[in-house]
Amino acid sequence: MSKIFDANEQPLVDVRHLKQYFNINVGPLRSKPLKAVDDVSFTIRKGETLGLVGESGCGKTTVGRSILHLYQPTDGEVEFAGKLIRSKADIHELRKKATMVFQDPYSSLNPRMTVSDIIGEPLDIHKMYRNKAEREERILELMERVGLNSEHASRYAHEFSGGQRQRIGIARALALRPDFIVCDEPVSALDVSIQAQVINMFVELQEQMGLTYLFIAHDILVVRHISDRIAVMYLGKMVELADAAVIYDQPLHPYTRSLMSAVPQPDPKIARANRRIVLSGDIPSPLNAPSGCPFRTRCPHAAPCCAESMPEFKEVASGHFVACHRVNEL
Amino acid sequence: MSTEPLLKVRDLHTSFFTPAGEVKAVNGVSFNLDRGKVLGIVGESGSGKSVTAYSIMQILASTGKIVSGSIKLDGQELVNAGESVMKTVRGNKISIIFQDPMTSLNPTYTIGHQLIEAIMLHTDRNKKEAWDRAVEMLQLVNVNEPQKRMKQYPYEFSGGMRQRVMIAMALACEPDILIADEPTTALDVTIQAQILELMRSLQEQLGMAIIMITHDLGVVAQMCDEVIVMYAGSICEQGTADEIFYNPKHEYTKGLMRSIPTADTAGSKLHPITGTPIDLLNMPSGCPFAPRCDNAMKICIKERCERMRLNEYHFSACWMNVKDGMGQASDAEQTEKGGGTK
């Protein structure tokens, strides 16, 4: 499948210094910014799958939502297909071309709507059809495309299994013929055997329709399978970004290294031989993020300089970005 | 060491009696667990892996009932033994930890209170001794500043820390068996690695047997000596971890192994198992996996395959093995010897 990208081609999604803060009440009349995403920059090329991994609370979902402007970003710029997203009209246009598949196929589908209305809703909002018949036809076509029986269009979501519900969610995301889909943990809620069906469908849809994905997941083996490049986040910062194979086999950032070594390998011999780098302690609260590098409190290589300033997210090899003060010494 | 297994489960049937009908959640499960071994039970949601564990502990929901079968702990029959016997078993001899450490602790009591309560219930220590024991247990599971942590409430603990507290509580009375029901599913990867490492080292230190229930084959590969693969309430395949991973002999296990993404599958298609899991209310008479099996034969749909011994370490219930001439022992012999691998 290995895709070839033109380095000079303009990226489809260009995120520059994105910041997303939420004000959290910490006491009576006192609030504090929670820096869910703090100065994150990356690009996604057309037809590419960028995997985004990290542990809960690291801001990966927020990145996906901020790109789609489901939140108004605190600061930074998002450029989509060469166009900077600024006004409400821009956002409206963006949402025709960029859609989302959610994690939980149980809570992301309205239980009071039929499948046909769920899939048809984006078409209604953006008035993408001339008449009822055209709308109907498009819905049935979408259902067949994601492997659902089109005779079930008048059923409700609760009549479907988890895997089928996720297909409904994918059909809804495809309804507007988007270029870009943010997939937020789309297979985490599914059983292993169903997960493989849905992953294959994402790959096939990409091949057929030239889709671009931001694939957010915590399961590193799934992300490794589907992604061209992988970005790793920790406490609101992006710490490493490189080709999927490089991130998986030759990670440079100490956090990525421990994350990759912690992946439970489904192979007893590898698992027994594997030298895991087990991190001590827990992820700090994003409300009390450490000074300097956010990872320094758990980092086995932390030095005094790590407490002083946030390391720059810089390119250390072609296409390989790392934010670590000591990257050259490790 | 006696040759008698620590835990011997034979032909266990557990059903839930719902308004829609009888749900046969566990349908004829047999296995042995030897002292100091780690047994993994893998399967998808609804395969009956948790219900098997809850049946051993007899903590089923009110609609659930052990219909037939035998569960022997050190030779003592637990099925129909009565609540007074079970009270001496739970916590003392078999402990369980659950998936969600967030909801397993009572938010209105301190960690210390809950640990002491568990210790005083099962031993005749007084409060002071129980406190010391609780601190000792927290140290054992690597909780820093245990004296201070004892006075804190669950909300002051992170997910990984709460699971450590649950492990401390489960091990406080030195049980022979620890049942871990998806102990790391709710945790992040790096925290999962910490907890698995901790369980491994505690197991070596204290020598208890562990039943590890999980859907994650990676966790099984890392932790388990023996593996049971369940589908729709019955065991498809059982054997040592190496046999199951490198020499799977049931079509479902093979499908499961093929469908997981690994570093080598990048850029290629996965091989998913087609179809959806079976409806436990409408179980077919044949092999429960037959409707999804690519190699299903006529006999698979008609008749359920009994468990067959393939070698000393490996059992499978798949007609494909008969076709290949591999099932050697008769059913009677296997039931006698059980599923234990030494």
Side-chain angles (χ1 to χ4, degrees), chain A residues 55-56 191 193 197 267 279 282, chain B residues 45 158 188 190 194 246 273:
Chain A
E55 298 179 274
S56 30
D191 270 319
S193 69
Q197 295 175 3
D267 185 326
L279 294 174
D282 285 305
Chain B
S45 15
S158 66
D188 278 314
T190 59
Q194 290 176 0
Y246 301 125
I273 300 172

Side-chain angles (χ1 to χ4, degrees), chain A residues 277-293:
Chain A
I277 310 166
V278 176
L279 294 174
S280 56
D282 285 305
I283 308 172
S285 156
L287 273 173
N288 291 309
S291 64
C293 172

Side-chain angles (χ1 to χ4, degrees), chain B residues 1-8 32-35 72 74-75 342:
Chain B
M1 197 191 276
S2 74
T3 47
E4 184 68 8
L6 177 60
L7 183 75
K8 197 167 161 184
N32 290 345
L33 176 66
D34 289 331
R35 276 176 203 282
K72 276 190 178 152
D74 250 344
K342 290 225 185 85

Side-chain angles (χ1 to χ4, degrees), chain A residues 1 55-56 191-194 196-197 200 204 221 224-225 248 264-269 272 276 278-279 281-282 298, chain B residues 44-45 158 188 190-192 194 218 221-222 242 245-246 259-261 263 265-268 270 272-275 292:
Chain A
M1 187 182 71
E55 298 179 274
S56 30
D191 270 319
V192 186
S193 69
I194 307 299
Q197 295 175 3
N200 275 356
E204 281 159 21
L221 289 172
R224 168 76 185 92
H225 174 81
Y248 192 78
Q265 295 289 343
D267 185 326
K269 282 181 188 149
R272 281 178 212 134
R276 271 173 289 281
V278 176
L279 294 174
D282 285 305
R298 296 172 80 198
Chain B
E44 300 179 89
S45 15
S158 66
D188 278 314
T190 59
I191 309 296
Q192 166 170 292
Q194 290 176 0
Q222 192 177 328
D242 284 9
F245 277 90
Y246 301 125
S259 65
I260 39 175
T265 62
S268 61
L270 293 173
I273 300 172
T274 51
R292 298 177 74 189

Side-chain angles (χ1 to χ4, degrees), chain B residues 56-336:
Chain B
I56 295 168
M57 292 290 274
Q58 298 189 24
I59 48 172
L60 295 160
S62 58
T63 50
K65 194 173 177 300
I66 297 176
V67 179
S68 64
S70 145
I71 300 168
K72 276 190 178 152
L73 177 70
D74 250 344
Q76 185 191 12
E77 179 61 56
L78 298 184
V79 175
N80 297 325
E83 193 58 13
S84 59
V85 173
M86 283 316 295
K87 274 191 178 153
T88 66
V89 169
R90 288 187 207 121
N92 286 328
K93 291 179 180 159
I94 312 178
S95 280
I96 188 163
I97 54 174
F98 298 97
Q99 169 171 351
D100 190 354
M102 306 290 171
T103 53
S104 304
L105 291 164
N106 188 328
T108 63
Y109 290 103
T110 60
I111 293 296
H113 182 106
Q114 298 184 54
L115 276 167
I116 289 171
E117 183 188 20
I119 293 167
M120 286 175 69
L121 193 67
H122 292 294
T123 63
D124 42 16
R125 288 185 171 89
N126 65 31
K127 205 161 184 183
K128 174 78 187 55
E129 290 163 342
W131 175 278
D132 293 341
R133 175 72 179 154
V135 170
E136 194 186 314
M137 289 313 295
L138 287 181
Q139 266 161 353
L140 187 70
V141 297
N142 302 330
V143 171
N144 290 332
E145 301 180 80
Q147 294 282 3
K148 186 181 144 205
R149 294 296 242 170
M150 287 280 283
K151 294 176 193 142
Q152 292 182 334
Y153 288 87
Y155 77 88
E156 294 170 88
F157 283 64
S158 66
M161 279 296 154
R162 284 183 226 200
Q163 199 57 292
R164 285 172 196 267
V165 171
M166 291 309 298
I167 293 172
M169 200 182 283
L171 297 183
C173 302
E174 292 169 10
D176 297 325
I177 302 172
L178 174 68
I179 300 178
D181 186 8
E182 303 263 12
T184 57
T185 308
L187 305 175
D188 278 314
V189 185
T190 59
I191 309 296
Q192 166 170 292
Q194 290 176 0
I195 297 291
L196 293 179
E197 196 98 338
L198 174 72
M199 288 180 71
R200 253 290 182 215
S201 79
L202 288 176
Q203 197 257 336
E204 277 164 20
Q205 229 172 309
L206 308 173
M208 75 269 184
I210 298 178
I211 299 179
M212 188 89 184
I213 296 167
T214 179
H215 67 275
D216 188 334
L217 289 164
V219 171
V220 173
Q222 192 177 328
M223 293 289 291
C224 300
D225 305 309
E226 290 159 30
V227 184
I228 287 175
V229 183
M230 287 189 73
Y231 186 80
S234 29
I235 295 178
C236 325
E237 187 162 9
Q238 134 182 36
T240 57
D242 284 9
E243 283 282 325
I244 296 291
F245 277 90
Y246 301 125
N247 189 22
K249 285 293 177 206
H250 191 286
E251 290 300 313
Y252 175 62
T253 318
K254 289 184 199 168
L256 214 52
M257 297 288 170
R258 273 198 301 265
S259 65
I260 39 175
T262 65
D264 304 326
T265 62
S268 61
K269 285 273 160 64
L270 293 173
H271 301 278
I273 300 172
T274 51
T276 51
I278 200 161
D279 176 7
L280 291 174
L281 278 167
N282 296 308
M283 289 271 266
S285 55
C287 170
F289 185 61
R292 298 177 74 189
C293 181
D294 292 336
N295 296 319
M297 301 174 288
K298 272 184 197 144
I299 189 165
C300 302
I301 292 155
K302 253 194 342 228
E303 205 177 318
R304 185 182 277 254
C305 181
E306 293 300 331
R307 201 165 68 143
M308 279 172 292
R309 175 188 288 271
L310 304 177
N311 63 39
E312 199 186 337
Y313 308 105
H314 203 152
F315 295 81
S316 164
C318 183
W319 287 115
M320 288 299 281
N321 298 319
V322 180
K323 190 181 162 206
D324 299 341
M326 274 189 310
Q328 276 149 15
S330 75
D331 181 47
E333 190 188 334
Q334 300 140 29
T335 319
E336 200 43 50

Side-chain angles (χ1 to χ4, degrees), chain A residues 188 227 297:
Chain A
S188 326
S227 306
T297 53

Side-chain angles (χ1 to χ4, degrees), chain A residues 90-106:
Chain A
D90 293 341
I91 294 173
H92 189 77
E93 279 306 303
L94 170 74
R95 299 233 179 104
K96 274 190 203 173
K97 291 284 153 207
T99 58
M100 189 153 181
V101 175
F102 298 91
Q103 168 170 5
D104 184 357
Y106 292 85

